Amino acid sequence: MNEQSENREGASIDNIANAQADLRRGYADGALGVLASGTVWMAAALVAFLVSSQTAIWTLFFGGMLIHPLGLLMAKLVGVPGSHSKQNPLGKLIMEGTIFMLMCIPLALLLSLQNHAWFFQGMLLIIGGRYLTFATLYGIKTYWILGAVLGAAAFALFFFNGNPAISALSGSMIEIGFGIFLFLSYKKNQSQ
């Protein structure tokens, strides 16, 4: 039995490098989740352009609940497990980071009562901060850059008074671009 199947079946993961490798194998370096998130941001941007910024807020809010299932569906479509070993100690950090992110979303909703664009800019900061932890989870420094770019975009959009549609589109373009890069890097590493 190889190391990958042993990890899937619950063998002990005894160091951070093995735990990170297990997550990279299980979730394609996290690329599919980033792409799923970027897709939800794109839907919110389209709604902001075509319907209303208030509806776009709810599109991102409720669409965000579909990011994980959409990422898992994408994983199955490209032949990635979409899971990690139950013995992976980083699995708890994934859940803790997700809960922290969810606890921050009401702050963005409160910002939207003042200015709809601030919701999207606040979410860029929240999600950018979440991606910073992915650098440790996956052992991929690209996530530091992704988090920093999302954070910088939020500040720039706020400073230049970016509207809700442009703010959502910015989040989408950044995540889709990084998601494609991460997935291509994953595929390249798998073929070596």
Side-chain angles (χ1 to χ4, degrees), residues 23-164:
L23 290 179
R24 287 192 301 272
R25 277 189 303 273
Y27 301 105
D29 291 355
L32 302 174
V34 177
L35 286 169
S37 180
T39 302
V40 171
W41 277 85
M42 181 62 77
L46 291 172
V47 169
F49 279 118
L50 301 173
V51 182
S52 74
S53 58
Q54 180 66 52
T55 306
I57 289 169
W58 294 114
T59 301
L60 186 60
F61 180 80
F62 289 111
M65 296 176 191
L66 301 175
I67 291 170
H68 185 65
L70 181 57
L72 293 179
L73 175 63
M74 293 167 111
K76 296 302 178 198
L77 292 174
V78 298
V80 174
S83 64
H84 60 274
S85 167
K86 290 180 185 351
Q87 301 300 315
N88 191 325
L90 293 177
K92 292 177 184 174
L93 183 57
I94 292 171
M95 184 54 65
E96 292 160 356
T98 301
I99 291 169
F100 176 77
M101 179 187 66
L102 294 173
M103 291 172 67
C104 291
I105 292 173
L107 296 173
L109 288 170
L110 289 172
L111 288 172
S112 76
L113 298 176
Q114 188 72 26
N115 182 327
H116 288 172
W118 292 355
F119 170 78
F120 297 101
Q121 295 156 14
M123 288 302 297
L124 287 171
L125 287 171
I126 292 165
I127 292 167
R130 170 82 169 108
Y131 281 133
L132 295 176
T133 67
F134 282 26
T136 297
L137 288 170
Y138 291 100
I140 299 172
K141 293 177 183 173
T142 302
Y143 281 107
W144 286 337
I145 300 167
L146 174 55
V149 169
L150 287 169
F155 281 108
L157 289 160
F158 177 79
F159 182 77
F160 292 111
N161 202 25
N163 68 37

Side-chain angles (χ1 to χ4, degrees), residues 163-180:
N163 68 37
I166 295 300
S167 296
L169 183 61
S170 297
S172 174
M173 299 300 283
I174 292 166
E175 285 198 306
I176 289 173
F178 273 88
I180 290 169

Side-chain angles (χ1 to χ4, degrees), residues 13-26:
I13 295 178
D14 57 359
N15 70 47
I16 188 96
N18 288 342
Q20 291 168 330
D22 180 57
L23 290 179
R24 287 192 301 272
R25 277 189 303 273

